Amino acid sequence: MSISLPMTETWIQTSNLMNHTPQSEFNFFFFFFSVLAAIGEPVRLDWYNPQGERIVPSKRMALHTETSRSRLIIYNAIIEDAGIYRCQATDASGHTEEASVVLEIYQRLTFRDVQSPQEFRHGETAEVVCDVISSPVPVVVWYYQDREITEEHHSRFQVLPNNNLQIHQVTKADEGVYRCEASVEARGEIDFVDIAVVVNVPPVLSVFQQSFNATADYQEAVTFTCLTSGSPDPVVTWHRKGQQLEPSEQHIFNRLEGGRSMLTIRNIRQGDGGTYSCKATNKAGSQERELFLKVFVQPHITQLKNVTAVEGSAAMISCVAEGEPLPDISWRRASDGQAFVDGDKSQDGRFEVRGRHGKSVLTISGVKLTDLGQFDCEALSRIGGHQKRMFLDIEYIPKFLTNHTIYYSWEGNPVNISCDVMSNPPATMLWRRERFTISAEGTANTRVHSAEGKSVLEVTPMSDRDFGRYNCTARNNIGVRYQEFILAQADVPSNPYSVRLSAVSQRLATVTFMKPDSHGGVPISYYLVQYKEVGSQEWRDVKSHSVQTTVVLTGLEPNTTYEVRVAAVNGKGQGEFSHTETFQTLPIREPSPPAVHGQRGMGKAYRLGLVKQDDGGMPIVEYIVKYKTDKEEQWMTKLVPGANDFAMLQPLQWNTRYEVEITARNVKGLSEPTFYQFFMPQKPDITGKKSLFSGLGLGAVVGLGLGALLLLLVLVDVSCFFLRHCGLLMCITRSLCSKKTATSGKGKEIEEGKAAYLKMLEKKKDHQPKKLPLKEENGKESLKPDTIEIKVHGDNSLHTKPDDSKA
């Protein structure tokens, strides 16, 4: 006998039914077919489940057995039905044969009753439930804020074996939406569910002030304040003696932003004292804090007076206070905040406090000026306090405030000797000279000026007898003090030293020096710098600006040797001169090439900016500007006065590149040329659709017409003058022809001179001789009067005129 089954392995994927019954999660039929082929007929066919138990027919498992065939039907198959099923055939002799079949059940990915939101309490270990089933077992991944949760990056997060997410010590920061994603890679199946996690924070309650004091029957009010936090926002209630307080005229409730709740008790009576509680409650828990109100009689200071003591003596200050309960009295020094209570004694032993029955006495031994000031007496009990302030005044012998006791002056120069005194009570002050008192009215050469705490003696020395010692006496009812002053004769300063010359040019030189070691007793007013040419006997003076130790000498002659010396001047007079230093100015030379920068002008013009460099010691007489196009050989020349800072080139050609050569000239000669190039653009298109006069008004058009008519008349008159020797211009010329002046002749000479000079420049360019070194005698030769005279004025302006011998 043998047995066979048509299938050896069978699988079933369960359907995902949303409305399944609790007894059956899967609703389908599953069939097993088995066919027996045996030598003999089997007597019995039995089926055994994966647990090895013989299957007994039931409503869910049906058996249909025929002669040589048995069929097992499983209704509403579940995961537990998976496994190996055996079919056993038994013949009449008891011989058995069996065959087996494997049943695999694949369940669809299903989330079962996942709750959202899921709430947890702050600080506990939260387990976010994600109940998901499938067959085979799904792979579950959690996400938070679009990032996968891994234990490596989230030490407090852990995915449990049951696929739930565990968060250790969950906080409010962990609140949010979490995504539970499940997948079955074998089938490519994936699904997710979003779960909102809410963290409830138990109330945290704090009070700004726990104990309050109030005085009964004085219409006073007290406000209790509780500050609460939690999630969700807690509800705050107020309680007293186990009863919740309700709003009334006496009990006022307020709730402000930020979780601040306030209870105000108005018109406090003694019976309102006791314990109050503030209770905050939310779904995460509750917290309660107690506050205390004590109603008693406020302390009050009844006696505290100002005290005056003498420096070095003892001072006693008493303070009396009353209240219920009897307050404790303490002292505080306002100057430094130091406090003294009953029984205290300072380290130096000068401050001591003794008190009893509402009275306290502060004793200060050996009073010092630093003890002067305010002292606070504070009466304090359990219900509050009262504070008053007194002033400790200290009388003391006069004290002099200055150590400046030596003054300098000279005969005829008044000086003020100041005697500054601090005293309490104010002191009277007298001046003495050799045992004689100087009266307030003064003498011929002394005067006394008095003010509170100060006396000034003005002395104008007339002879040596007025110099010497003067005595200032200060006196009050505590004592008398003296201070001696010395009036000494001032001297002139010593000589400056380390005289140096720098920045020496043809016309300028800078003198620097060190201050003298002694100013003679009075401040230096200025420094006197003297200079002259070597061999000359006449010194020229230059004063410094205030006490600056740098002086600039101007108006010097080029290529000349000078001597210079310096002396200091104070009120007494001029001191000795320093050692004489010698320096030589630079010789006159040709100027440096000018710097050039260009700028487009209006129309066919170009503006060349000329920046003077080193003028070589003489003013720039003129700039020679030569220019031509890059396609021409002939240069055009323009002479520009040396005082100008620009040259206007016009008219120029459009769309053309120009080359420019600029040379500066002084009386010594010409500088090296500076080369410059610029490009004139194309002619602008000024044509337009509108007429030239289309934008003008009627009055403007009429004015332009009259101007054109006048211009036409002038042109006709000029033509008559040149062609027919008539007209208005001819009449004017004839009337003035007899009045020719030397000016016109000179003008003609100037024009001819310019033409000859330009021709000379052309030759010089072709035959440029080599420059020879400028010797000292050459520099002097160039300044001979028979050539030109140059005068330097105070404003640095230059005036030139021909020598009188040529007149």
Side-chain angles (χ1 to χ4, degrees):
M1 180 185 65
S2 63
I3 184 169
S4 63
L5 292 174
M7 294 188 297
T8 59
E9 181 175 321
T10 306
W11 65 272
I12 304 171
Q13 180 174 343
T14 63
S15 59
N16 187 8
L17 302 177
M18 300 302 295
N19 298 321
H20 60 269
T21 62
Q23 294 80 10
S24 175
E25 290 191 4
F26 312 100
N27 188 15
F28 59 87
F29 300 99
F30 184 79
F31 303 94
F32 277 103
F33 299 96
S34 72
V35 179
L36 292 175
I39 299 174
E41 291 293 332
V43 176
R44 189 176 63 187
L45 294 172
D46 296 316
W47 287 90
Y48 292 88
N49 62 20
Q51 288 75 32
E53 301 172 348
R54 189 171 67 87
I55 297 175
V56 178
S58 63
K59 290 183 179 181
R60 203 169 67 84
M61 291 190 179
L63 294 174
H64 298 278
T65 304
E66 299 175 0
T67 304
S68 61
R69 177 180 294 177
S70 179
R71 182 173 62 180
L72 172 62
I73 302 174
I74 303 175
Y75 298 95
N76 300 327
I78 60 177
I79 293 294
E80 288 75 8
D81 293 332
I84 300 174
Y85 287 80
R86 294 181 296 111
C87 176
Q88 188 179 76
T90 307
D91 61 8
S93 63
H95 179 72
T96 62
E97 289 284 346
E98 66 178 29
S100 62
V101 64
V102 177
L103 174 61
E104 294 184 1
I105 298 178
Y106 294 97
Q107 183 179 6
R108 186 177 179 181
L109 195 62
T110 305
F111 291 95
R112 300 189 299 182
D113 195 22
V114 177
Q115 300 293 326
S116 181
Q118 298 184 27
E119 298 188 14
F120 304 95
R121 180 187 173 97
H122 176 85
E124 69 179 3
T125 299
E127 185 174 338
V128 186
V129 177
C130 180
D131 189 1
V132 57
I133 59 173
S134 72
S135 178
V137 176
V139 176
V140 175
V141 179
W142 285 85
Y143 294 90
Y144 179 57
Q145 295 179 350
D146 297 329
R147 297 183 63 183
E148 181 180 350
I149 298 176
T150 61
E151 296 182 12
E152 179 181 355
H153 297 92
H154 303 79
S155 59
R156 295 187 299 106
F157 291 74
Q158 182 180 3
V159 180
L160 301 178
N162 60 359
N163 295 326
N164 292 344
L165 176 64
Q166 187 180 73
I167 307 175
H168 295 278
Q169 296 181 348
V170 66
T171 66
K172 194 68 177 175
D174 299 325
E175 196 172 69
V177 176
Y178 291 75
R179 173 165 291 184
C180 174
E181 182 181 279
S183 62
V184 180
E185 295 183 1
R187 296 197 301 273
E189 186 178 3
I190 188 169
D191 198 1
F192 69 88
V193 63
D194 287 337
I195 304 171
V197 173
V198 177
V199 180
N200 295 324
V201 181
V204 176
L205 193 151
S206 60
V207 295
F208 294 116
Q209 183 178 344
Q210 193 170 6
S211 179
F212 293 81
N213 298 324
T215 304
D217 305 323
Y218 281 93
Q219 304 296 313
E220 291 188 10
V222 169
T223 298
F224 299 145
T225 302
C226 282
L227 187 63
T228 60
S229 63
S231 180
D233 292 338
V235 177
V236 178
T237 54
W238 293 88
H239 303 263
R240 182 168 186 252
K241 296 180 180 180
Q243 299 294 325
Q244 181 174 336
L245 297 178
E246 299 295 336
S248 63
E249 291 185 0
Q250 188 181 17
H251 298 143
I252 308 298
F253 299 94
N254 284 309
R255 185 173 178 85
L256 305 179
E257 294 182 357
R260 182 176 298 185
S261 297
M262 295 182 293
L263 167 63
T264 300
I265 306 175
R266 301 171 57 192
N267 301 326
I268 292 178
R269 300 181 293 269
Q270 187 170 356
D272 293 327
T275 302
Y276 292 77
S277 64
C278 172
K279 185 176 182 181
T281 306
N282 66 5
K283 62 173 63 178
S286 64
Q287 190 176 24
E288 187 173 1
R289 294 293 299 271
E290 290 186 344
L291 301 98
F292 301 93
L293 175 61
K294 298 181 181 180
V295 182
F296 291 100
V297 177
Q298 189 80 10
H300 182 69
I301 296 175
T302 59
Q303 181 180 335
L304 183 66
K305 297 180 179 180
N306 294 333
V307 174
T308 300
V310 177
E311 182 182 14
S313 65
M316 298 182 64
I317 312 170
S318 62
C319 179
V320 179
E322 61 183 20
E324 181 60 40
L326 198 64
D328 296 324
I329 300 177
S330 62
W331 296 87
R332 187 179 67 87
R333 185 164 54 188
S335 61
D336 58 3
Q338 185 175 358
F340 307 94
V341 298
D342 186 22
D344 276 357
K345 192 171 185 179
S346 63
Q347 292 183 353
D348 58 6
R350 295 195 308 111
F351 288 79
E352 187 175 5
V353 179
R354 289 286 182 266
R356 58 180 298 185
H357 301 302
K359 181 178 181 180
S360 179
V361 178
L362 171 63
T363 302
I364 306 175
S365 303
V367 173
K368 299 180 179 180
L369 287 182
T370 55
D371 300 327
L372 176 74
Q374 296 175 337
F375 287 80
D376 296 331
C377 174
E378 184 178 24
L380 186 67
S381 70
R382 292 172 296 171
I383 63 168
H386 185 211
Q387 187 180 82
K388 276 191 175 181
R389 178 169 290 182
M390 59 80 58
F391 187 83
L392 174 61
D393 190 20
I394 299 176
E395 296 181 340
Y396 53 92
I397 194 170
K399 302 177 185 296
F400 293 98
L401 302 179
T402 178
N403 293 323
H404 181 202
T405 58
I406 300 178
Y407 290 80
Y408 291 87
S409 186
W410 57 93
E411 294 179 5
N413 179 64
V415 62
N416 290 331
I417 303 176
S418 179
C419 180
D420 299 321
V421 173
M422 181 178 68
S423 65
N424 187 26
T428 58
M429 304 172 69
L430 295 174
W431 286 93
R432 297 177 183 273
R433 168 75 166 154
E434 297 177 352
R435 300 181 182 179
F436 295 98
T437 300
I438 301 175
S439 64
E441 293 77 13
T443 61
N445 61 336
T446 59
R447 295 183 62 186
V448 178
H449 308 276
S450 298
E452 184 177 354
K454 172 181 267 190
S455 181
V456 178
L457 175 63
E458 180 184 352
V459 181
T460 304
M462 305 304 295
S463 64
D464 291 344
R465 293 183 306 170
D466 295 326
F467 295 96
R469 301 177 183 274
Y470 291 82
N471 183 279
C472 176
T473 302
R475 183 193 307 271
N476 64 4
N477 58 358
I478 307 301
V480 60
R481 288 279 177 86
Y482 309 92
Q483 187 170 33
E484 189 174 67
F485 296 89
I486 298 175
L487 179 59
Q489 290 199 51
D491 197 0
V492 296
S494 60
N495 61 285
Y497 58 94
S498 295
V499 179
R500 297 287 185 270
L501 274 300
S502 62
V504 178
S505 64
Q506 289 87 357
R507 302 287 180 180
L508 303 175
T510 300
V511 182
T512 60
F513 47 88
M514 300 294 292
K515 294 181 179 180
D517 295 330
S518 172
H519 54 65
V522 290
I524 294 175
S525 302
Y526 61 91
Y527 293 96
L528 178 65
V529 178
Q530 288 188 341
Y531 69 101
K532 69 180 182 65
E533 296 182 18
V534 173
S536 174
Q537 300 300 321
E538 183 180 354
W539 290 91
R540 284 179 277 183
D541 297 342
V542 178
K543 293 182 179 179
S544 68
H545 179 69
S546 185
V547 291
Q548 293 183 356
T549 58
T550 300
V551 176
V552 178
L553 305 181
T554 62
L556 303 178
E557 293 296 329
N559 202 24
T560 304
T561 303
Y562 286 90
E563 293 179 325
V564 64
R565 62 185 183 181
V566 185
V569 180
N570 64 5
K572 174 69 174 178
Q574 176 182 318
E576 295 181 357
F577 279 103
S578 66
H579 176 72
T580 301
E581 293 291 331
T582 303
F583 69 96
Q584 184 176 3
T585 56
L586 299 179
I588 294 176
R589 59 174 179 79
E590 297 87 348
S592 300
V596 180
H597 59 86
Q599 180 182 358
R600 278 275 290 115
M602 297 294 294
K604 299 171 69 175
Y606 194 87
R607 190 178 192 274
L608 284 178
L610 304 175
V611 181
K612 181 182 71 173
Q613 303 301 303
D614 184 4
D615 61 6
M618 293 297 290
I620 302 296
V621 176
E622 62 184 358
Y623 295 99
I624 300 98
V625 181
K626 300 174 63 177
Y627 61 100
K628 70 179 184 67
T629 67
D630 57 353
K631 298 179 180 179
E632 296 177 345
E633 296 295 333
Q634 186 66 29
W635 290 87
M636 292 174 284
T637 305
K638 185 179 183 67
L639 299 181
V640 180
N644 287 15
D645 59 357
F646 73 94
M648 188 66 73
L649 305 182
Q650 61 181 355
L652 304 177
Q653 301 177 26
W654 297 112
N655 196 24
T656 304
R657 180 175 299 279
Y658 280 86
E659 299 177 359
V660 184
E661 179 182 311
I662 305 100
T663 309
R665 185 177 71 85
N666 64 5
V667 295
K668 184 62 180 176
L670 296 173
S671 71
E672 294 293 331
T674 299
F675 299 98
Y676 184 77
Q677 290 186 352
F678 65 91
F679 183 78
M680 288 293 292
Q682 293 185 356
K683 182 178 180 180
D685 185 8
I686 60 174
T687 61
K689 294 182 179 180
K690 293 185 179 181
S691 171
L692 178 62
F693 304 104
S694 59
L696 300 178
L698 180 60
V701 173
V702 173
L704 289 174
L706 292 176
L709 179 60
L710 181 60
L711 180 60
L712 180 60
L713 294 176
V714 172
L715 292 175
V716 171
D717 189 71
V718 171
S719 300
C720 292
F721 172 77
F722 285 104
L723 297 177
R724 300 186 179 182
H725 303 285
C726 63
L728 181 61
L729 183 60
M730 189 65 185
C731 294
I732 296 174
T733 304
R734 289 177 176 176
S735 63
L736 298 177
C737 63
S738 60
K739 299 180 180 180
K740 293 182 180 180
T741 63
T743 305
S744 61
K746 289 183 180 180
K748 184 176 181 180
E749 291 176 1
I750 291 174
E751 293 298 326
E752 293 174 352
K754 283 187 177 180
Y757 177 68
L758 294 177
K759 181 179 289 185
M760 180 270 291
L761 290 179
E762 292 294 332
K763 292 181 179 179
K764 182 178 181 181
K765 180 179 179 183
D766 298 333
H767 304 87
Q768 183 74 23
K770 294 184 179 180
K771 293 185 178 180
L772 298 176
L774 181 63
K775 297 181 180 179
E776 181 178 348
E777 56 270 18
N778 291 340
K780 293 183 178 180
E781 287 291 332
S782 65
L783 296 176
K784 285 184 178 181
D786 60 349
T787 304
I788 191 169
E789 180 181 350
I790 301 174
K791 290 187 177 181
V792 182
H793 295 265
D795 56 357
N796 292 329
S797 61
L798 300 177
H799 288 208
T800 63
K801 68 177 182 178
D803 191 276
D804 293 339
S805 62
K806 289 188 177 183

